[in-house]
Amino acid sequence: MKKNNKGFSLVELIIVIAIMAILAGALAPALIKYINKSRRSADISNADTIRTACQTACQTAMSDEDAMVAIGTGVTGASVSDLQSSYGAFSTEISSILGNSTITSKYFDKGNEFTVDINVAGNTVIVKAGSQQVSPQP
């Protein structure tokens, strides 16, 4: 009698599926950790870009009287879109550096815009996501 094997048995298929499930379960935490790390890196990079743009705009504003009047002694808790629209000549400078896109947080305060604290006298710019400071001090 000739045996006619044309495929895998049910037991063999179940074993292969079980092995794949074990591998997926072992790799999932590492993948999640990697995704969170990349989101955090993107937020830090965006915050640093915003901080640099604000510092550059402040330096430019020092020579433009209209821009200095617009920001006065500083800005506290303004979102990036507020900076791009509500501060006259200073806003024009920020928009020329950052463009008109809305930059939102992907890790620290998901989906919300970064907020900026600018102290003109102390020449400091702090970028926050929610209540957490994201950008390092220069």
Side-chain angles (χ1 to χ4, degrees):
M1 184 172 190
K2 228 182 196 184
K3 205 171 185 184
N4 200 1
N5 279 341
K6 291 192 177 189
F8 295 107
S9 70
L10 183 60
V11 173
E12 290 170 330
L13 290 174
I14 290 173
I15 289 172
V16 169
I17 291 171
I19 291 171
M20 290 173 62
I22 290 168
L23 289 173
L27 294 176
L31 180 63
I32 291 169
K33 184 178 178 182
Y34 174 76
I35 290 170
N36 283 337
K37 188 175 181 182
S38 68
R39 286 179 179 164
R40 181 182 173 100
S41 295
D43 276 3
I44 290 171
S45 175
N46 286 339
D48 196 42
T49 301
I50 293 167
R51 182 180 57 80
T52 303
C54 289
Q55 286 178 328
T56 303
C58 282
Q59 290 171 354
T60 304
M62 297 287 189
S63 62
D64 184 353
E65 188 176 322
D66 292 337
M68 282 304 293
V69 168
I71 61 171
T73 59
V75 176
T76 303
S79 68
V80 175
S81 59
D82 288 345
L83 287 177
Q84 291 172 324
S85 62
S86 303
Y87 293 93
F90 181 76
S91 296
T92 305
E93 184 67 27
I94 290 284
S95 293
S96 70
I97 297 169
L98 293 178
N100 291 323
S101 61
T102 302
I103 303 172
T104 59
S105 176
K106 296 177 182 169
Y107 179 81
F108 292 103
D109 193 14
K110 290 183 182 176
N112 292 320
E113 281 191 77
F114 292 98
T115 57
V116 180
D117 295 337
I118 301 172
N119 181 348
V120 175
N123 195 23
T124 59
V125 177
I126 299 172
V127 181
K128 296 179 180 179
S131 61
Q132 188 170 2
Q133 180 176 334
V134 180
S135 69
Q137 284 294 326

